[in-house]
Amino acid sequence: MSTEVRDEVDIDEIELLTNVDFPQAINIDDWIPCQGQIFDSDDDAYNFYSSFAQRSGFSIRRHHVYRNTTDEGNPQTVYKREFVCHRSGVSKSVKVNELESQRKRKTSRCSCSARLVVAKETIGSEEKWVVIYFNNVHNHDLLDEKEVQFLPAYRNIPVVDQNRILMMYKAGCSINVTMRLLELKKGIDVGSLPFMDKDIRNFLQNQSGIDKQNDALDVLKLCKGLKELDDAFQYDYTIDENKKLEHIIWAFGDSIRAYESFGDVVVFDTTYRINRYDMPLGIWLGVDNHGNSVFFGCVLLRNEKISSFTWALKNFLAFVKGKNPQTILTDQDPSLKEAIANEFPNTKHAFCIWHILAKLPSWFSFVLGARYNDFKSEFFKVYHLDCEDDFEQYWKSMVAQFGLSNDIHIKLLYSLRQRWALAYLKDFFFAGMTTTGRSESINSYIKHFLDAKTSLTDFITRVGVAVQIRNQAGEEARMRQKYHNHLLKTSFPMEEHVASILTPYAFGLIQIEIELSTKYAATETNSGSFIVKHHTKDDGGRLVTWIEGQESIRCSCKEFEFSGILCRHAIRVLLMKNYFHIPSKYLPFRWRRESSLIPKSSHIVNNNDVSSAEFHSLIQCIEYESLKTKERKQIATKGLEDLIREIKGMSESHEDQIGLEVVPNNDECDVGIPVRTRSKGRPKGSKAKVVVEVVSNNDECDVGNPVRTKSKGRPKRSRPKGGVEAATKIRHCHIPNCGATGHDTRNCPNKRKHNDILPNESPNEFKKGWRNSSN
């Protein structure tokens, strides 16, 4: 009688496989495991089951090993192996004394019982491995073919690619450029590599031009070709009196569809110039329900005049079918400010505080000297005030304290206070985007793809690549909300309810508020309202108004109006009223799981802009209404299944695939060489005026390359400097709402504050531009 020894192999110790070679003894067509199936080795059985798992939407790991200890010749002979679903078992409990020293990793294990067991048997004169047990019943959702590629088991870096990555790393290539080069080398689509950028980072850590003569013509042909392939793609341009390309604007179909869902808050950033003509680049972007930045459109302008910005805004509004954003964030450019006021009269226009903070040292360091750091601290306190009366009072006190009543910059900031101070912005929805941290990160991201000599054609092509990569990030986020279990921190049913409705990103934000609500006390007033205070404070607090018949709640901190996330003060009142669910109206659709992007343009052929918009609106309406109750979902699912069967039975027409290739030049046009001119003002003694001519998309002949643009204002080296600025080159921290000197993003004090959130009355967690609230 043999003694059975069972060893458990941890998932971190297994060899991750992607390209599986089937054994010759097995019919490849019959790829579903079955009891009695024979393999030459246990590795062949593992590879076969791994391939089946990948096709089915899950991954596997080696689990128990059974050894025969009575075999004197080889006491460790393995006679049985067990392979299980990657979600089998339960997460290991962490000791209390290890909580501070270990990261809190998310777990995906849910006691799934799916498994395959093989045992060694002698068949004839050979030893074979036979399937003695197979269970394919899962207690979790399986992933589709696009989502399964993000599982760790299938994100393996082949040896050939490892050598290439090391070579490009030595050459100084960034990880993003390395991934793109590997995609081009293999001839696959963007995002189709069997591994991700984080896998390259981990691997490296373990291993310690285009014809200038036809530039403008080529870019117009490229846009025309993209328009023919995808009717949702939009572009427009202008030429000047010399028939030189002046402005060009474009938006991909995916970007326009993203705007339909998440165009309520828009950042329009024009702070970077990245092509050979030094044209200002304008990027429209927003944030999706997973907290990821999404592109809405791009524009290249000749200059930064009012007429140029007006043209860009008008065309962008036409691209998105006249849908105005609720709020828009920009820098303090006066020309852009006037253009937005004219074109978006019903949109709240705010300034990015990041740009203001970046200017504080040059404005006040020389004037205040050693008192500058104290001034900056006071400025932050005033900026974060919620009440307009408090802002006015503390602003006057700060100005008097530092003797700045006659300072021109202080007067300018005060005159613009309604566009940057939070006290004047809390009534408007900003989705947490009160700074251009997202826009700055995207500009930095694009900078890795482009340089000062990038052609217009290559520029648009690479921006399209960036859009697709951002789309992939959204797909990964949607996969993760299925893949990861939520880590609940309280026993409130409210938290569990919210976790089932909101995306993991939005749930993480409101989870902080639910957890911190336990530190507050609510006192009902005679008027039926509530005063909510932190348990350590005797005065102050927030006023929460509650109308029970309407299930309406409003807090004086206005956090819900500002970010779409219900604040801790309102949650405390709901808990006091014995609410187990947050009312539906306070779980905005734009933060819910079902609020996802319309499918990519490569899967859709649009024949008409109007009908396409109506079609997408119907899809969103069906999705929104059907997910309210289980009964609605069942009816909608049955109806859609019948509709899909009917559509599949219809005849199919050829569907063109969308690409980013330049349409061949058929000698249709003759394009001139670009001329370098100034972008603002004119040479002394010259009275010539620039005539802007709008050209239709069907007339591309005789369009020359754009002229090189000079930035507005004084040249960089001609501005007089003094004080601290003259002594040294000031470097600023890029953490949102910081902008301080003396440190960088790696050791910023504000970055480390979130580690001390729970012990005290704590601000909201810093996440992608979310502000720090102290109440």
Side-chain angles (χ1 to χ4, degrees):
M1 184 173 179
S2 64
T3 304
E4 182 177 278
V5 178
R6 193 172 66 177
D7 299 334
E8 183 172 350
V9 182
D10 190 77
I11 188 172
D12 295 331
E13 300 176 357
I14 69 172
E15 178 182 2
L16 303 179
L17 303 176
T18 54
N19 299 322
V20 179
D21 295 325
F22 289 89
Q24 297 179 356
I26 298 174
N27 185 2
I28 297 180
D29 294 333
D30 186 16
W31 53 273
I32 301 178
C34 60
Q35 192 166 346
Q37 199 167 4
I38 301 174
F39 298 90
D40 293 332
S41 65
D42 57 338
D43 288 336
D44 289 344
Y46 177 85
N47 294 345
F48 185 87
Y49 191 29
S50 178
S51 178
F52 166 76
Q54 185 174 8
R55 298 187 188 191
S56 302
F58 65 101
S59 64
I60 64 172
R61 71 175 188 270
R62 291 182 172 90
H63 195 45
H64 294 310
V65 179
Y66 298 85
R67 303 178 186 276
N68 188 352
T69 59
T70 61
D71 189 347
E72 298 180 358
N74 189 358
Q76 296 298 323
T77 300
V78 177
Y79 70 95
K80 187 165 62 174
R81 298 294 300 264
E82 187 174 2
F83 311 125
V84 299
C85 172
H86 70 290
R87 303 193 67 174
S88 173
V90 295
S91 59
K92 298 179 181 179
S93 59
V94 181
K95 296 181 181 179
V96 177
N97 58 357
E98 295 178 350
L99 286 175
E100 296 181 357
S101 60
Q102 293 185 357
R103 289 190 299 172
K104 296 181 180 179
R105 297 180 180 271
K106 293 182 178 180
T107 176
S108 63
R109 299 192 179 187
C110 59
S111 301
C112 180
S113 60
R115 65 191 61 237
L116 177 76
V117 181
V118 293
K120 184 187 295 185
E121 295 184 8
T122 302
I123 301 178
S125 60
E126 298 180 350
E127 289 186 344
K128 300 288 185 179
W129 288 83
V130 181
V131 176
I132 61 173
Y133 179 79
F134 174 59
N135 179 12
N136 198 33
V137 178
H138 299 263
N139 64 351
H140 56 86
D141 294 335
L142 299 179
L143 306 177
D144 59 36
E145 59 181 1
K146 291 184 178 179
E147 296 171 335
V148 75
Q149 65 176 326
F150 297 111
L151 290 175
Y154 307 122
R155 300 204 321 248
N156 183 49
I157 303 179
V159 176
V160 176
D161 290 337
Q162 291 179 8
N163 296 330
R164 292 171 180 167
I165 291 171
L166 290 174
M167 181 179 63
M168 287 183 279
Y169 176 75
K170 293 178 181 179
C173 294
S174 67
I175 292 179
N176 292 327
V177 174
T178 299
M179 291 193 67
R180 183 59 184 147
L181 289 174
L182 291 174
E183 289 164 352
L184 293 174
K185 178 69 176 178
K186 295 174 178 291
I188 59 178
D189 294 333
V190 174
S192 299
L193 286 173
F195 47 86
M196 302 169 62
D197 54 352
K198 63 176 68 175
D199 301 315
I200 296 182
R201 290 189 180 94
N202 293 336
F203 168 71
L204 292 175
Q205 184 176 2
N206 293 335
Q207 297 295 322
S208 283
I210 295 179
D211 189 4
K212 296 182 180 180
Q213 300 294 328
N214 299 322
D215 204 3
L217 178 59
D218 286 344
V219 73
L220 296 182
K221 285 183 173 292
L222 170 63
C223 291
K224 184 178 180 180
L226 290 173
K227 181 68 175 179
E228 292 175 352
L229 293 174
D230 178 16
D231 195 54
F233 177 83
Q234 300 289 337
Y235 78 104
D236 202 353
Y237 62 94
T238 64
I239 61 174
D240 61 16
E241 61 180 358
N242 297 318
K243 293 188 177 181
K244 301 295 183 182
L245 184 64
E246 186 173 30
H247 311 309
I248 183 169
I249 182 175
W250 70 97
F252 295 93
D254 289 338
S255 300
I256 295 176
R257 283 183 283 274
Y259 185 88
E260 294 176 6
S261 299
F262 309 113
D264 44 8
V265 181
V266 174
V267 171
F268 184 42
D269 191 1
T270 59
T271 59
Y272 204 67
R273 300 165 181 256
I274 49 180
N275 69 86
R276 66 165 59 142
Y277 304 107
D278 203 25
M279 300 173 70
L281 167 67
I283 304 178
W284 286 276
L285 59 133
V287 57
D288 66 7
N289 54 339
H290 294 282
N292 295 320
S293 298
V294 289
F295 279 98
F296 294 145
C298 290
V299 62
L300 284 168
L301 301 172
R302 170 75 61 83
N303 51 52
E304 295 170 295
K305 297 180 180 179
I306 297 177
S307 58
S308 299
F309 287 128
T310 300
W311 178 88
L313 294 173
K314 280 184 176 180
N315 280 275
F316 178 75
L317 196 61
F319 289 173
V320 297
K321 302 174 180 62
K323 179 182 177 181
N324 287 281
Q326 297 180 25
T327 52
I328 187 170
L329 284 158
T330 70
D331 60 12
Q332 301 87 42
D333 191 295
S335 299
L336 181 57
K337 174 186 173 184
E338 184 172 345
I340 291 177
N342 294 333
E343 300 303 321
F344 294 165
N346 299 322
T347 298
K348 175 60 179 178
H349 181 202
F351 293 150
C352 303
I353 190 62
W354 186 90
H355 291 116
I356 294 177
L357 296 176
K359 295 178 180 178
L360 290 184
S362 60
W363 284 353
F364 301 110
S365 61
F366 177 73
V367 176
L368 298 176
R371 297 193 300 165
Y372 169 71
N373 288 332
D374 295 334
F375 166 79
K376 186 173 61 175
S377 298
E378 291 298 321
F379 183 86
F380 281 129
K381 293 178 182 179
V382 175
Y383 167 71
H384 284 108
L385 293 173
D386 296 325
C387 178
E388 295 179 11
D389 294 336
D390 291 342
F391 176 87
E392 297 290 340
Q393 177 182 351
Y394 282 95
W395 180 269
K396 292 178 181 179
S397 175
M398 180 188 70
V399 172
Q401 177 183 353
F402 294 94
L404 298 173
S405 57
N406 296 323
D407 188 271
I408 185 175
H409 299 300
I410 281 290
K411 293 180 178 179
L412 175 64
L413 287 173
Y414 184 75
S415 65
L416 300 175
R417 63 191 182 281
Q418 294 184 350
R419 297 187 184 274
W420 62 266
L422 293 182
Y424 297 91
L425 301 179
K426 294 301 291 284
D427 288 322
F428 303 92
F429 181 66
F430 282 90
M433 298 181 67
T434 52
T435 75
T436 53
R438 296 179 183 275
S439 180
E440 295 295 336
S441 65
I442 289 181
N443 272 343
S444 176
Y445 175 75
I446 296 179
K447 186 177 179 180
H448 292 294
F449 288 90
L450 307 169
D451 54 40
K453 296 183 179 181
T454 301
S455 67
L456 294 178
T457 304
D458 200 25
F459 177 82
I460 293 181
T461 301
R462 294 181 183 184
V463 170
V465 170
V467 171
Q468 294 182 25
I469 291 177
R470 290 290 168 175
N471 289 343
Q472 182 194 6
E475 293 175 0
E476 181 189 1
R478 288 189 288 277
M479 182 279 294
R480 286 184 175 180
Q481 74 180 13
K482 295 181 180 180
Y483 179 60
H484 288 137
N485 298 328
H486 289 291
L487 299 176
L488 301 180
K489 298 182 179 180
T490 69
S491 59
F492 297 141
M494 180 183 295
E495 183 185 11
E496 186 176 358
H497 171 249
V498 171
S500 66
I501 295 178
L502 300 184
T503 62
Y505 170 76
F507 169 69
L509 296 171
I510 199 171
Q511 186 183 45
I512 295 174
E513 301 299 315
I514 293 175
E515 189 175 12
L516 291 177
S517 67
T518 59
K519 297 179 179 291
Y520 287 76
T523 304
E524 189 170 4
T525 64
N526 295 331
S527 61
S529 300
F530 295 84
I531 300 296
V532 181
K533 302 178 183 178
H534 193 268
H535 71 94
T536 60
K537 294 185 178 181
D538 296 328
D539 55 356
R542 301 292 185 180
L543 177 64
V544 178
T545 304
W546 166 249
I547 304 177
E548 187 167 1
Q550 303 176 4
E551 287 192 333
S552 175
I553 194 166
R554 180 179 175 87
C555 181
S556 60
C557 75
K558 302 178 182 179
E559 184 63 29
F560 177 76
E561 292 82 358
F562 184 69
S563 65
I565 300 297
L566 202 62
C567 66
R568 64 199 72 166
H569 317 105
I571 292 175
R572 181 67 185 90
V573 173
L574 291 177
L575 291 173
M576 184 178 179
K577 290 292 183 178
N578 297 324
Y579 266 73
F580 298 105
H581 293 174
I582 292 179
S584 178
K585 68 174 73 174
Y586 298 108
L587 298 175
F589 183 70
R590 68 117 50 231
W591 292 130
R592 296 191 182 192
R593 290 170 175 257
E594 60 266 29
S595 177
S596 58
L597 298 181
I598 300 300
K600 289 185 175 182
S601 55
S602 58
H603 305 289
I604 298 174
V605 176
N606 300 306
N607 296 319
N608 182 273
D609 284 342
V610 177
S611 62
S612 174
E614 294 175 353
F615 180 73
H616 295 322
S617 298
L618 288 174
I619 293 177
Q620 288 183 316
C621 182
I622 292 174
E623 186 179 36
Y624 176 71
E625 294 295 336
S626 63
L627 292 176
K628 288 184 176 179
T629 64
K630 291 184 178 179
E631 183 179 2
R632 288 188 178 190
K633 183 178 179 182
Q634 292 174 355
I635 295 175
T637 301
K638 184 178 183 304
L640 289 174
E641 288 175 350
D642 296 339
L643 179 61
I644 291 173
R645 281 194 294 268
E646 182 179 352
I647 293 175
K648 286 185 175 180
M650 301 172 62
S651 61
E652 297 182 359
S653 59
H654 177 67
E655 295 181 358
D656 292 328
Q657 296 297 318
I658 292 178
L660 292 174
E661 297 180 356
V662 180
V663 178
N665 188 347
N666 296 323
D667 298 330
E668 298 174 355
C669 307
D670 185 15
V671 185
I673 303 175
V675 179
R676 303 179 185 273
T677 60
R678 297 179 181 270
S679 60
K680 266 193 179 285
R682 61 175 181 269
K684 295 181 178 180
S686 172
K687 296 183 179 180
K689 296 182 179 180
V690 176
V691 179
V692 177
E693 179 183 357
V694 180
V695 182
S696 65
N697 292 339
N698 296 323
D699 183 13
E700 301 158 357
C701 298
D702 298 328
V703 179
N705 293 347
V707 298
R708 185 174 181 83
T709 303
K710 288 188 177 181
S711 59
K712 61 184 179 181
R714 182 186 289 109
K716 293 182 179 180
R717 296 185 179 181
S718 63
R719 179 169 62 86
K721 300 180 180 180
V724 177
E725 189 181 15
T728 181
K729 180 180 179 181
I730 300 177
R731 305 178 71 91
H732 307 288
C733 174
H734 293 281
I735 289 292
N737 299 338
C738 181
T741 59
H743 64 268
D744 55 22
T745 55
R746 296 171 298 178
N747 53 10
C748 177
N750 290 338
K751 185 178 181 182
R752 297 195 297 267
K753 284 182 180 179
H754 75 280
N755 294 329
D756 303 324
I757 284 180
L758 295 180
N760 305 307
E761 181 189 2
S762 307
N764 290 343
E765 184 178 4
F766 283 106
K767 282 195 177 183
K768 293 186 179 179
W770 289 77
R771 73 173 188 86
N772 179 0
S773 175
S774 58
N775 292 304

